[in-house]
C-alpha cells in the first residue's frame, strides 16, 4: 500500500474559510483566480488547468534559455521568471515560494542574494511584479531591485 502526501490548504473570504487538500508537486486540477493586493482590485485568472503541463514545459525551456543568455540583466530575468511562472500558477499551494526560488537563480548567478520578501513589503512586491508584467514602462525591473539587496555576495 502506497501512501500519498498531502496538506490541508485554505482559502479565506471575508467571512468563511474553505479547506481543501493539496498535493505537493502535483499540478492543480481546477481553475483559480486571486486578488493580488488588498489596496487595489487586481484580479488575476491563471492558466486553465488543462494547459498547465504544456505551459510548464514551455516555461522550463524558456527559463533555461533565459539563464544561459548573458546579455539579459539578472533583475529583468528574475522579473520574467517570476511573472511567467506566476501566470501559470501550476500548483494549488506554494506558487509564490517556488516563483521566488526560481527567480532567485539569475540573481545568485550574478552574485546577488536570493529574493527575500519581508511580510510588511509583500504588497509592494506584488504591485511591482504586476507593473513589471503589465505596464509598458522602460523601468520594468527597477521596482523589483528595491526588494533585492544591492550588496553583492562574496
Amino acid at each position: 500500500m502506497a501512501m500519498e502526501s498531502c496538506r490541508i490548504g485554505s482559502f479565506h473570504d471575508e467571512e468563511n474559510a474553505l479547506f481543501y487538500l493539496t498535493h505537493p508537486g502535483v499540478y492543480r486540477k481546477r481553475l483559480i483566480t486571486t486578488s493580488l493586493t488588498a489596496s487595489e482590485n487586481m484580479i488575476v485568472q491563471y492558466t486553465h488547468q488543462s494547459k498547465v503541463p504544456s505551459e510548464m514545459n514551455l516555461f522550463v525551456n524558456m527559463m533555461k534559455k533565459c539563464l544561459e543568455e548573458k546579455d539579459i540583466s539578472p533583475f529583468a530575468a528574475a522579473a520574467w521568471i517570476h511573472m511567467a511562472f506566476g501566470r501559470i500558477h501550476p500548483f494549488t499551494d506554494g506558487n509564490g515560494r517556488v516563483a521566488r526560488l526560481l527567480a532567485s537563480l539569475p540573481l545568485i548567478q550574478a552574485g546577488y542574494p536570493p529574493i527575500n520578501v519581508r511580510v510588511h513589503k509583500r504588497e509592494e512586491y506584488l504591485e511591482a511584479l504586476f507593473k513589471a508584467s503589465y505596464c509598458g514602462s522602460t523601468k520594468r525591473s527597477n521596482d523589483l531591485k528595491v526588494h533585492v539587496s544591492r550588496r553583492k555576495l562574496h
Side-chain angles (χ1 to χ4, degrees):
M1 172 192 274
M3 293 185 63
E4 281 190 35
S5 173
C6 64
R7 293 180 21 186
I8 296 176
S10 64
F11 166 79
H12 299 273
D13 63 16
E14 293 181 19
E15 299 175 9
N16 305 308
L18 170 68
F19 295 95
Y20 54 88
L21 292 178
T22 65
H23 300 277
V26 176
Y27 293 147
R28 63 182 163 79
K29 306 272 191 268
R30 61 186 174 89
L31 186 62
I32 54 174
T33 60
T34 189
S35 175
L36 286 181
T37 65
S39 65
E40 292 186 42
N41 194 15
M42 291 189 265
I43 304 294
V44 176
Q45 180 175 321
Y46 300 105
T47 299
H48 191 275
Q49 65 270 19
S50 66
K51 295 183 179 181
V52 168
S54 62
E55 290 293 316
M56 283 300 294
N57 284 335
L58 180 62
F59 166 74
V60 168
N61 290 329
M62 290 179 71
M63 187 182 83
K64 286 179 186 175
K65 290 178 183 176
C66 182
L67 292 173
E68 292 168 357
E69 181 60 52
K70 302 299 180 206
D71 293 334
I72 297 176
S73 156
F75 296 101
W80 179 85
I81 290 168
H82 197 299
M83 284 310 304
F85 183 86
R87 281 186 184 152
I88 300 168
H89 219 76
F91 307 114
T92 305
D93 189 33
N95 292 289
R97 291 179 293 261
V98 174
R100 286 187 294 279
L101 179 67
L102 294 174
S104 292
L105 292 174
L107 300 173
I108 292 167
Q109 284 179 336
Y112 291 95
I115 296 170
N116 181 15
V117 180
R118 304 279 187 227
V119 172
H120 67 280
K121 293 286 189 178
R122 182 176 188 273
E123 208 168 301
E124 184 180 338
Y125 180 73
L126 290 173
E127 286 177 14
L129 286 170
F130 180 82
K131 288 177 189 175
S133 174
Y134 296 104
C135 299
S137 171
T138 58
K139 298 175 7 176
R140 288 175 189 243
S141 66
N142 288 345
D143 287 341
L144 295 174
K145 289 181 183 179
V146 171
H147 302 284
V148 178
S149 170
R150 286 178 169 61
R151 180 176 51 87
K152 291 250 187 173
L153 295 176
H154 296 288

